[in-house]
Amino acid sequence: MNELLQVRGLGRRYGDDQVLEGVDLRLERGEVLGLLGPNGAGKTTCLQILSGNLAPSDGEIRILGVDLARYPLRAKRLIGYLPERPPLYADMRVDEYLDYCAQLHRIPRQRRAAAVEQARTRCGLAERGRRLIGTLSKGYRQRVGIAQAIVHKPDLVILDEPTEGLDPVQLREVRELIRTLALDCGVILSSHALPEVQAVC
């Protein structure tokens, strides 16, 4: 079976500025890989490239053998992505938002409700489906962001600073959620905090 993720020689330039250079990664299902570095080190740029939201200047990315540059739609179906600022709509209810995300991922109508319920349950949102996202705490909004990233059951989950700004209880809960996600897929996360990477990778 193919490796879940294989990255070779990944690079990105903005004009004359080289932001990333020569990044090589390999990831198997069940692994949690952490990108550790200070703010401005290029972690978010790397994750945007791996998620297919930013084109690399150099290198190759394969997800389950599918070349992200040559077959972007096929490859992106295998990816779930939580950006640094989750793409949430404060005036939508949790269930409405997750159903909307399921539609974007082209989950058939007859399977959508089950997909939403499973993602909501896995992320500890079982009792909050009718709540407006804008009324949730930061920790629960982060959970909604993770739920949208996994609603289509991706093979690769990419999380950019998933625990940033959470209190200690929320931090522990999101760490445990990441560990359970890794039972079914591969996870890549970024952080500038060494203890955070040590705790989940």
Side-chain angles (χ1 to χ4, degrees):
M1 183 175 168
N2 292 325
E3 287 178 307
L4 177 55
L5 174 68
Q6 189 173 65
V7 178
R8 293 179 181 153
L10 193 65
R12 174 70 192 192
R13 289 181 298 277
Y14 291 103
D16 294 330
D17 294 329
Q18 187 82 37
V19 180
L20 291 175
E21 185 175 11
V23 177
D24 295 325
L25 297 174
R26 292 171 62 181
L27 186 72
E28 300 285 353
R29 195 178 301 276
E31 291 182 329
V32 180
L33 174 68
L35 296 183
L36 177 68
N39 292 331
K43 302 184 301 296
T44 293
T45 298
C46 184
L47 296 187
Q48 286 177 338
I49 293 171
L50 294 178
S51 65
N53 289 299
L54 183 66
S57 303
D58 306 293
E60 177 183 74
I61 302 166
R62 291 182 178 273
I63 302 161
L64 289 175
V66 180
D67 188 312
L68 180 59
R70 292 183 65 192
Y71 306 104
L73 290 179
R74 276 177 57 196
K76 286 180 183 182
R77 287 190 189 108
L78 305 171
I79 300 169
Y81 178 48
L82 173 70
E84 191 173 5
R85 291 182 182 84
L88 304 178
Y89 297 101
D91 57 346
M92 292 181 80
R93 299 186 189 278
V94 171
D95 281 349
E96 291 173 329
Y97 174 69
L98 293 178
D99 183 74
Y100 168 68
C101 294
Q103 290 178 55
L104 292 178
H105 285 292
R106 300 182 179 175
I107 296 175
R109 181 184 296 272
Q110 63 272 22
R111 289 176 36 218
R112 219 176 282 152
V116 166
E117 182 177 357
Q118 186 174 37
R120 194 182 66 216
T121 301
R122 288 191 74 186
C123 293
L125 296 163
E127 305 300 320
R128 287 169 172 77
R130 300 293 302 156
R131 291 279 301 273
L132 288 173
I133 292 172
T135 68
L136 298 175
S137 69
K138 181 172 175 121
Y140 276 105
R141 289 198 303 272
Q142 198 74 337
R143 287 169 183 259
V144 175
I146 295 172
Q148 66 79 28
I150 67 168
V151 71
H152 60 300
K153 296 183 180 175
D155 295 277
L156 174 64
V157 177
I158 299 172
L159 308 171
D160 194 357
E161 301 272 3
T163 58
E164 178 69 21
L166 301 184
D167 67 38
V169 173
Q170 295 168 336
L171 193 66
R172 190 171 60 247
E173 291 172 344
V174 171
R175 283 176 181 170
E176 187 56 37
L177 172 57
I178 291 168
R179 288 189 196 101
T180 61
L181 290 177
L183 298 175
D184 303 319
C185 58
V187 179
I188 299 178
L189 61 89
S190 69
S191 179
H192 58 266
L194 178 58
E196 191 56 34
V197 171
Q198 288 176 320
V200 294
C201 297

